Amino acid sequence: DYATSREPRLHGVGDVRSAGEIDAVRKACGEAAAVLRHLVVLVAPGITTDALDAEAYEECRRRRIYPSTLNYHSYTKSICTSVNEVICHGIPDSRALRSGDIVNLDVSVFAGGAHGDCSVTLCVGEVNPVARRLVETGRACLNAGVKAVRPGKPFSDIGRAIENVAQRGGYSVVRQFVGHGIGPLFHTGLQVLHHYDRTQTHVMRPGMVFTVEPMISAGTHRAHLWPDGWTAVTADLARSAQFEHTVLC
Ligand code: MF3
Ligand code: CO
C-alpha cells in the first residue's frame, strides 16, 4: 500500500489474524526465507551490501513478490544489512564485506496479501571467537524468545526468556527496537519487547502473529542513530547481533 505512495495508507488492523490471513503470512514467510537463503550463500569477503540488495530485489522479481522495505517510509532498499556495530536497519551501500565482519541480513516481503519477516546474522570469512560467541548467543536469544510464545502467557515472558540468555552470556538487550505484529500490515500496533518489562502483562492469544527479533550487544544496549535516519549503531560501537522469526501464537 506504500509502494507507489509516500507513506503507508493502511492503519489499525487488530492483532488476531483470520485463518486466511494466517495462511497468507505463512506463505509470505516461506518466500522471505527463500530470499534470505538465496542471499546467505553469497556472503563472503569482497561482496558489497549493495550487491546483496540487488540480488534480493532480483530474487523478489523472479518470485513475483514485493520487498516490504522498499519505499517503506521512503526507505530506498529491498533489505537491511547491519554490519558489526550496526544494531539494525543498516542501509546497503558500496562497502565490501571483509573477513572478520559480522552482518545481519533482514529480509521482509509482501506476498499474497501479507508480509513475512526474518533475519540472520552471519560471520564473514574468519571471525574471531569473541564475535562468534556474540552471534551464537544472539541465535540462542531468538530461540529462547520463540519458545516463550504460548497462548495465555503475558508478552513479558518473551523478553524475560531473551534477557536471561543474553545476561548469562554477558550481553545487553537492545530496547529501542522491538518486535511487531505483522500480517496485511508490515508493522501493526502490537509491540514485542525483547527485554524483561513487568508492565507487559497483556496476554498472547491464539491467532496472533508477530515477530521476535532480539538484538543483543557486547557493550551498552543504548543506540545512536546515524544522520541517514535509519542506521542504528550501539552508542559505544560494540558489536551487535540480531536474529528474527515471524511467529504464530
Ligand atoms: N525487517 C525490519 C523489521 O524488523 C524492517 C524495518 S523497516 C526498514 O521491521 F525500512 F528499515 F527496513
Ligand atoms: Co521485523
Side-chain angles (χ1 to χ4, degrees):
D1 65 290
Y2 48 81
T4 58
S5 64
R6 257 182 64 96
E7 297 299 331
R9 286 177 289 109
L10 300 178
H11 297 287
V13 312
D15 283 301
V16 175
R17 304 268 70 87
S18 68
E21 287 170 338
I22 288 170
D23 195 45
V25 176
R26 187 175 277 126
K27 285 182 182 141
C29 288
E31 295 286 343
V35 175
L36 182 55
R37 279 195 296 269
H38 176 80
L39 300 178
V40 159
V41 295
L42 301 173
V43 167
I47 192 164
T48 65
T49 48
D50 262 346
L52 292 170
D53 175 69
E55 282 286 345
Y57 182 78
E58 280 309 317
E59 186 62 18
C60 285
R61 279 177 62 99
R62 280 192 285 269
R63 294 176 165 275
R64 302 189 169 282
I65 59 177
Y66 184 84
S68 307
T69 62
L70 194 55
N71 207 34
Y72 183 72
H73 293 283
S74 303
Y75 188 84
T76 56
K77 303 281 178 165
S78 298
I79 54 172
C80 297
T81 54
S82 301
V83 179
N84 297 335
E85 74 274 16
V86 181
I87 294 169
C88 64
H89 304 164
I91 306 174
D93 63 17
S94 59
R95 179 186 177 278
L97 294 175
R98 298 183 196 137
S99 183
D101 284 344
I102 62 171
V103 60
N104 174 276
L105 304 182
D106 192 333
V107 174
S108 28
V109 304
F110 183 75
H115 296 267
D117 198 354
C118 55
S119 86
V120 292
T121 296
L122 302 163
C123 292
V124 183
E126 293 291 316
V127 170
N128 72 47
V130 173
R132 279 208 307 268
R133 191 174 74 86
L134 170 70
V135 172
E136 283 322 307
T137 307
R139 194 192 314 276
C141 283
L142 171 61
N143 290 340
V146 169
K147 238 176 133 175
V149 175
R150 292 278 167 93
K153 296 287 191 181
F155 272 90
S156 59
D157 275 14
I158 299 172
R160 176 162 45 205
I162 291 167
E163 195 156 28
N164 276 341
V165 174
Q167 278 178 355
R168 251 185 278 138
Y171 302 113
S172 63
V173 177
V174 171
R175 301 175 172 209
Q176 197 168 325
F177 301 93
V178 298
H180 50 92
I182 185 168
L185 285 186
F186 190 7
H187 299 102
T188 75
L190 177 66
Q191 298 198 332
V192 181
L193 275 52
H194 301 119
H195 63 285
Y196 179 61
D197 180 334
R198 60 190 186 84
T199 70
Q200 301 295 297
T201 53
H202 50 303
V203 163
M204 295 179 248
R205 304 250 174 243
M208 285 183 166
V209 180
F210 49 85
T211 70
V212 178
E213 47 180 308
M215 290 137 275
I216 62 168
S217 161
T220 179
H221 69 79
R222 285 188 312 110
H224 168 83
L225 201 64
W226 279 7
D228 64 22
W230 288 105
T231 310
V233 297
T234 54
D236 57 5
L237 304 185
R239 288 191 187 201
S240 170
Q242 179 181 28
F243 288 81
E244 174 174 21
H245 270 313
T246 298
V247 183
L248 166 66
C249 184

